[in-house]
Amino acid sequence: YASERNPAQHQRLGEAERKQDDLLNAILNMNNPILKKLALFSALTLPLSYILGVIARSLWYNPRPFVVKGIEPLIAHIPDNGFPSDHTLLLATLASIAYYFDKKYSAALWVVTILVGLSRVFAQVHHLVDILASMVIALVSAKIAYAIIHPLWNKQKQTNF
């Protein structure tokens, strides 16, 4: 556990492990309980969303519209699998995380997410299903993360988790 390591143990860690260790300690030692919750919730939701996106990509191949139509895309892109949209997945995940902390900010992020997703469709680098799937993956990831972490928040109220 990061906070239990002494300085000598910390020095023996590799560079990447030290950075992870320092980040975890910074999160655990935050004074603002809402920022701490946001950081921990994000640390769980973002990787989960990425992993579910990778799984979805491996289960369904959806060639990009410019490949299917034989046209030049508005934005240069390699002709790989377009499912799901990584841009939309990241933005939708951030919007989903924000929902649990600030509904107005989340709504603004959802507007940006939709605009970016539609622009990717307009640019012929994604189909609408790629965009919608990214949004669903983000919502599911946040819901799973919330189901995992919310009981801990309630259990730890006295210790300012």
Side-chain angles (χ1 to χ4, degrees):
Y1 193 48
S3 61
E4 296 174 356
R5 290 195 177 109
N6 66 43
Q9 291 172 317
H10 185 76
Q11 288 300 321
R12 285 195 295 270
L13 296 174
E15 183 65 25
E17 290 170 315
R18 263 197 308 280
K19 287 180 181 179
Q20 290 172 353
D21 199 47
D22 291 343
L23 178 61
L24 182 58
N25 276 322
I27 291 170
L28 292 175
N29 293 319
M30 283 182 173
N31 291 327
N32 185 327
I34 293 175
L35 285 179
K36 182 187 268 189
K37 285 180 180 182
L38 176 61
L40 291 171
F41 187 58
S42 299
L44 181 59
T45 307
L46 286 162
L48 180 59
S49 181
Y50 174 78
I51 291 166
L52 292 178
V54 169
I55 291 169
R57 179 175 291 118
S58 71
L59 295 175
W60 190 22
Y61 183 82
N62 192 19
R64 296 182 183 273
F66 71 89
V67 174
V68 173
K69 296 174 183 177
I71 61 173
E72 188 73 26
L74 191 59
I75 302 168
H77 208 290
I78 59 171
D80 62 346
N81 187 4
F83 184 85
S85 166
D86 293 334
H87 290 84
T88 305
L89 182 61
L90 175 59
L91 288 169
T93 303
L94 293 174
S96 297
I97 290 168
Y99 175 81
Y100 292 95
F101 296 90
D102 187 329
K103 307 271 189 293
K104 288 182 182 179
Y105 187 64
S106 175
L109 284 173
W110 276 110
V111 169
V112 172
T113 300
I114 291 166
L115 290 173
V116 168
L118 292 176
S119 71
R120 305 288 292 170
V121 171
F122 178 75
Q124 298 293 313
V125 293
H126 283 291
H127 296 281
L128 188 57
V129 69
D130 304 335
I131 304 307
L132 296 175
S134 295
M135 292 177 181
V136 169
I137 291 167
L139 290 166
V140 167
S141 298
K143 196 72 167 166
I144 291 169
Y146 185 77
I148 292 168
I149 209 163
H150 184 69
L152 298 174
W153 290 346
N154 287 338
K155 191 185 291 185
Q156 299 290 327
K157 274 187 180 176
Q158 298 83 10
T159 61
N160 219 9
F161 179 66

